[in-house]
């Protein structure tokens, strides 16, 4: 059984606060097949309440986190625009070590984002 797990953390760099209330989905990708395996909303600290992919479901493979930034930005009162420059932010990544903690944070503003493999 795998001992690894996946977490995420979203920071709103434009406002200098954690991005609370941001919807995140996680899909497993196998060729052209996409399977939704998790969905969560960030808490007051910009994190999910539990690992978005816990150890009992953690497996080697290709995944995609989708951060629903447009709806979050609308809810925060960010200057409106139609369509939003950033709406859905997909981050596709691979898990190769089933025993590791993978952390995929997102630094978000209305006109840019960055990510990295955190710890």
């Amino acid at each position: 059984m795998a001992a690894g797990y996946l977490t995420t953390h979203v920071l709103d760099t434009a406002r200098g606060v954690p991005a609370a209330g941001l919807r995140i989905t996680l899909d497993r990708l196998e060729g052209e097949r996409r399977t939704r395996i998790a969905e969560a909303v960030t808490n007051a600290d910009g994190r999910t309440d539990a690992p978005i992919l816990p150890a009992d479901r953690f497996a080697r493979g290709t995944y995609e986190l989708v951060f629903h930034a447009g709806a979050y930005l609308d809810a925060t009162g960010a200057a409106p625009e139609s369509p939003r420059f950033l709406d859905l932010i997909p981050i596709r990544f691979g898990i190769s070590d089933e025993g590791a903690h993978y952390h995929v944070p997102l630094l978000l503003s209305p006109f840019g984002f960055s990510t990295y493999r955190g710890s």
Side-chain angles (χ1 to χ4, degrees):
M1 178 191 254
Y5 58 100
L6 171 67
T7 58
T8 188
H9 187 200
V10 186
L11 297 173
D12 183 331
T13 58
R15 297 187 317 137
V17 298
L22 190 143
R23 180 174 170 238
I24 303 168
T25 56
L26 176 66
D27 293 345
R28 181 175 170 86
L29 307 175
E30 298 173 276
E32 296 297 315
R33 191 169 135 215
R34 172 183 296 269
T35 305
R36 174 73 34 90
I37 57 174
E39 187 167 333
V41 175
T42 56
N43 60 25
D45 192 36
R47 301 174 188 273
T48 57
D49 289 331
I52 195 156
L53 186 57
D56 64 342
R57 297 178 52 210
F58 196 78
R60 182 173 308 192
T62 303
Y63 295 84
E64 188 173 87
L65 279 166
V66 177
F67 297 87
H68 294 250
Y72 166 79
L73 293 167
D74 289 345
T76 65
E81 57 178 346
S82 183
R84 279 234 173 253
F85 178 69
L86 294 175
D87 185 18
L88 301 177
I89 300 174
I91 304 204
R92 188 170 293 187
F93 60 97
I95 291 175
S96 59
D97 182 351
E98 293 178 330
H101 171 203
Y102 282 71
H103 183 66
V104 181
L106 183 75
L107 304 176
L108 172 66
S109 77
F111 299 104
F113 69 90
S114 67
T115 191
Y116 53 93
R117 179 170 175 193
S119 57

